[in-house]
Amino acid sequence: MISYKERHQVKTKSKTNNLKTTLINIDYLILSLEGQPFGDFPENSEFRFKPYDYGTSIFEVRADLYFQDLKVGTYMSKPRSSIISEQLAHLQIENNLFYTLSNEHLKNILTQFCNETNYLWKSTNRLDICLDRSDINHQYRNLYNNIVDGNLLISGRPKNIQSYFETFKGKSILNGFQIGKRTSDKIIRCYNKTLSLQLTEKPYINEYYKNNGLKNDNVWRFEYQLNSAFFRGLNEHSKADESVTQSITWGIFDKANLYELLKIATKGFFELRENTGKSQINKEKLVPLFDFEKLQSEISKNVPIIKRLKKIMLSSTTIKKRLAKSLFREYYCNNQDISYIVALNLLLEDMDMTTEKPLLYWFKNKLHFYLHEFRTKEKLVNDFDTPLFTEHQFLFL
């Protein structure tokens, strides 16, 4: 027979474990696919499209994608703009699947979809990673006030901060805050998920908490929204190993890689430090909110292979692109003077560090956009002989 003391110890241990539990998951995902625009699936396929009568502001085609009777997400293809490759398509995954399916199961469905459509998951357009934990000491609730009052400092460049209040039982309650703008390559949101689930019911998240040992009592969520610009600054250690080259696409279904992405996103953007009045912020003591190394090691012993390119490389690439645009402007304004195309062609042979392809690939997509800009915004109205330009490119490349 179990004594009262033993039962009490079991309950206390269980309660402590629930409070310490930190859950990491994907909450939002848009895949950028590359391939020929896809029509419809054959009759024997487990996939099917349910098309909309209208598309979006970016894509002409929009349809819900189903696997058997399960809605996988929304498929979009055929870009309206001529400066976007016609081979680009997006697939936005349904939110509930990240909580009701295992990562491996969802990955297998998407793999099968790509195999049947011959699409390549080339990059990630948007990825939201969430960390959920019980706020027993009100650390996260008080975090906003500590930042606003100057008790804690945020290192790095100036950032936009917005607070969010909700009315609950007639009272206005701080439900969280956001750091970063919509145009930023990353945005961080911190909010009371327990209150949010009371305002907007999502039973599958409550069930997800229950199945993973997290009591839905004052749970706060840190949500990192990583946009396409963030992923351009990432690079793999080796392009020879296929498993390495796919680490920031298919690899995101490994939760150890999600922690690595959070470490990269946090560094230099949301590093909190004490405020003791020192002249330089980086001399203040760091106040970590999460021990990413420890949380990562609890999930996997494998060393993640994702890294961010050094800023000096990205800056060099940006300078080259600006120079290429300037040379093309001079070539256009001076009646396609051949002297400018020589320098432009030599420059376009250099490597684009964001894609690891020659700058020529980037310039081909920008050519018509630049011509339109010169004529409309800069009022530089000149004739442009496209066959002559093509001849000049082939002659000197």
Side-chain angles (χ1 to χ4, degrees), residues 31-124:
L31 287 60
S32 290
L33 306 172
E34 183 180 63
Q36 295 298 326
F38 190 74
D40 208 346
F41 296 96
E43 291 185 3
N44 60 349
S45 175
E46 294 183 283
F47 290 96
R48 63 183 175 88
F49 281 137
K50 185 178 179 182
Y52 287 82
D53 293 333
Y54 50 88
T56 68
S57 59
I58 300 176
F59 295 96
E60 292 182 16
V61 174
R62 182 169 65 129
D64 288 336
L65 173 66
Y66 284 85
F67 176 74
Q68 298 172 352
D69 294 326
L70 180 70
K71 184 180 177 182
V72 177
T74 304
Y75 166 82
M76 294 156 282
S77 66
K78 293 188 178 180
R80 296 182 186 276
S81 174
S82 60
I83 66 173
I84 302 177
S85 171
E86 63 178 9
Q87 292 190 328
L88 175 67
H90 280 174
L91 179 61
Q92 179 178 329
I93 309 302
E94 283 292 292
N95 173 260
N96 69 84
L97 300 186
F98 303 119
Y99 301 94
T100 56
L101 300 182
S102 68
N103 285 353
E104 193 62 29
H105 188 185
L106 179 57
K107 179 181 177 181
N108 289 338
I109 292 175
L110 296 178
T111 302
Q112 186 175 337
F113 168 78
C114 289
N115 289 338
E116 290 196 26
T117 58
N118 290 322
Y119 270 125
L120 171 67
W121 181 3
K122 187 175 182 182
S123 62
T124 301

Side-chain angles (χ1 to χ4, degrees), residues 54 88 104 183 191 212 221 271 312 381 385:
Y54 50 88
L88 175 67
E104 193 62 29
T183 54
Y191 60 97
N212 288 276
R221 167 170 289 190
E271 291 181 319
I312 188 170
V381 183
D385 190 338

